[in-house]
PDB file of all heavy atoms in Angstrom:
ATOM      1  N   PRO A  12     -27.270  -3.250 -36.027  1.00  0.00           N
ATOM      2  CA  PRO A  12     -26.370  -3.875 -35.068  1.00  0.00           C
ATOM      3  C   PRO A  12     -25.294  -2.922 -34.572  1.00  0.00           C
ATOM      4  O   PRO A  12     -24.942  -2.928 -33.394  1.00  0.00           O
ATOM      5  CB  PRO A  12     -25.713  -4.995 -35.900  1.00  0.00           C
ATOM      6  CG  PRO A  12     -26.416  -5.034 -37.185  1.00  0.00           C
ATOM      7  CD  PRO A  12     -27.265  -3.852 -37.354  1.00  0.00           C
ATOM      8  N   LEU A  17     -23.228   0.484 -30.253  1.00  0.00           N
ATOM      9  CA  LEU A  17     -22.873   1.785 -29.716  1.00  0.00           C
ATOM     10  C   LEU A  17     -23.602   2.045 -28.403  1.00  0.00           C
ATOM     11  O   LEU A  17     -23.016   2.527 -27.415  1.00  0.00           O
ATOM     12  CB  LEU A  17     -23.209   2.908 -30.696  1.00  0.00           C
ATOM     13  CG  LEU A  17     -22.171   3.101 -31.834  1.00  0.00           C
ATOM     14  CD1 LEU A  17     -22.634   4.156 -32.776  1.00  0.00           C
ATOM     15  CD2 LEU A  17     -20.792   3.451 -31.231  1.00  0.00           C
ATOM     16  N   ALA A  69      -2.152  13.042  35.561  1.00  0.00           N
ATOM     17  CA  ALA A  69      -3.170  12.958  34.524  1.00  0.00           C
ATOM     18  C   ALA A  69      -2.759  13.769  33.298  1.00  0.00           C
ATOM     19  O   ALA A  69      -2.955  13.315  32.171  1.00  0.00           O
ATOM     20  CB  ALA A  69      -4.509  13.474  35.043  1.00  0.00           C
ATOM     21  N   ASN A  79       0.094  10.367  20.576  1.00  0.00           N
ATOM     22  CA  ASN A  79      -0.265   9.227  19.710  1.00  0.00           C
ATOM     23  C   ASN A  79      -1.245   9.637  18.604  1.00  0.00           C
ATOM     24  O   ASN A  79      -1.114   9.266  17.455  1.00  0.00           O
ATOM     25  CB  ASN A  79      -0.967   8.118  20.519  1.00  0.00           C
ATOM     26  CG  ASN A  79       0.054   7.397  21.395  1.00  0.00           C
ATOM     27  OD1 ASN A  79       1.239   7.520  21.192  1.00  0.00           O
ATOM     28  ND2 ASN A  79      -0.443   6.672  22.387  1.00  0.00           N
ATOM     29  N   THR A  85      -0.552  12.651  11.494  1.00  0.00           N
ATOM     30  CA  THR A  85       0.605  12.940  10.606  1.00  0.00           C
ATOM     31  C   THR A  85       0.841  11.784   9.647  1.00  0.00           C
ATOM     32  O   THR A  85       1.053  11.984   8.433  1.00  0.00           O
ATOM     33  CB  THR A  85       1.871  13.191  11.447  1.00  0.00           C
ATOM     34  OG1 THR A  85       1.535  14.017  12.528  1.00  0.00           O
ATOM     35  CG2 THR A  85       2.951  13.834  10.629  1.00  0.00           C
ATOM     36  N   SER A  95      -1.380   9.761  -3.385  1.00  0.00           N
ATOM     37  CA  SER A  95      -1.792  10.579  -4.530  1.00  0.00           C
ATOM     38  C   SER A  95      -0.615  10.767  -5.476  1.00  0.00           C
ATOM     39  O   SER A  95      -0.771  10.820  -6.683  1.00  0.00           O
ATOM     40  CB  SER A  95      -2.414  11.894  -4.081  1.00  0.00           C
ATOM     41  OG  SER A  95      -1.402  12.792  -3.714  1.00  0.00           O
ATOM     42  N   PRO A 110      20.147  -0.238  -5.890  1.00  0.00           N
ATOM     43  CA  PRO A 110      20.515  -1.555  -5.366  1.00  0.00           C
ATOM     44  C   PRO A 110      19.457  -2.020  -4.352  1.00  0.00           C
ATOM     45  O   PRO A 110      19.049  -1.234  -3.488  1.00  0.00           O
ATOM     46  CB  PRO A 110      21.848  -1.304  -4.627  1.00  0.00           C
ATOM     47  CG  PRO A 110      22.340  -0.003  -5.184  1.00  0.00           C
ATOM     48  CD  PRO A 110      21.138   0.807  -5.533  1.00  0.00           C
ATOM     49  N   ALA A 172      11.710 -12.424   7.482  1.00  0.00           N
ATOM     50  CA  ALA A 172      12.813 -12.655   6.521  1.00  0.00           C
ATOM     51  C   ALA A 172      12.571 -11.860   5.233  1.00  0.00           C
ATOM     52  O   ALA A 172      11.450 -11.884   4.697  1.00  0.00           O
ATOM     53  CB  ALA A 172      12.919 -14.147   6.204  1.00  0.00           C
ATOM     54  N   VAL A 180      12.217 -15.025 -16.693  1.00  0.00           N
ATOM     55  CA  VAL A 180      10.960 -15.077 -17.452  1.00  0.00           C
ATOM     56  C   VAL A 180      11.264 -14.635 -18.877  1.00  0.00           C
ATOM     57  O   VAL A 180      12.363 -14.196 -19.160  1.00  0.00           O
ATOM     58  CB  VAL A 180       9.872 -14.137 -16.858  1.00  0.00           C
ATOM     59  CG1 VAL A 180       9.380 -14.572 -15.527  1.00  0.00           C
ATOM     60  CG2 VAL A 180      10.374 -12.700 -16.787  1.00  0.00           C
ATOM     61  N   ASP A 184      14.856 -10.926 -16.912  1.00  0.00           N
ATOM     62  CA  ASP A 184      14.564 -11.452 -15.587  1.00  0.00           C
ATOM     63  C   ASP A 184      13.647 -10.541 -14.771  1.00  0.00           C
ATOM     64  O   ASP A 184      13.504  -9.379 -15.055  1.00  0.00           O
ATOM     65  CB  ASP A 184      15.891 -11.626 -14.821  1.00  0.00           C
ATOM     66  CG  ASP A 184      16.710 -12.747 -15.415  1.00  0.00           C
ATOM     67  OD1 ASP A 184      16.190 -13.426 -16.327  1.00  0.00           O
ATOM     68  OD2 ASP A 184      17.859 -12.924 -14.964  1.00  0.00           O
ATOM     69  N   ASP A 201     -10.138 -12.278   2.730  1.00  0.00           N
ATOM     70  CA  ASP A 201      -9.653 -10.897   2.734  1.00  0.00           C
ATOM     71  C   ASP A 201      -8.416 -10.685   1.859  1.00  0.00           C
ATOM     72  O   ASP A 201      -8.039  -9.536   1.617  1.00  0.00           O
ATOM     73  CB  ASP A 201      -9.278 -10.501   4.173  1.00  0.00           C
ATOM     74  CG  ASP A 201     -10.440 -10.569   5.115  1.00  0.00           C
ATOM     75  OD1 ASP A 201     -11.398  -9.817   4.891  1.00  0.00           O
ATOM     76  OD2 ASP A 201     -10.402 -11.393   6.066  1.00  0.00           O
ATOM     77  N   ALA A 235       2.943  -1.325  -9.683  1.00  0.00           N
ATOM     78  CA  ALA A 235       2.359  -1.191 -11.039  1.00  0.00           C
ATOM     79  C   ALA A 235       3.080  -0.107 -11.831  1.00  0.00           C
ATOM     80  O   ALA A 235       3.393  -0.322 -13.012  1.00  0.00           O
ATOM     81  CB  ALA A 235       0.899  -0.889 -10.935  1.00  0.00           C
TER      82      ALA A 235
END
Side-chain angles (χ1 to χ4, degrees):
L17 280 178
N79 287 344
T85 316
S95 79
V180 291
D184 289 355
D201 298 298

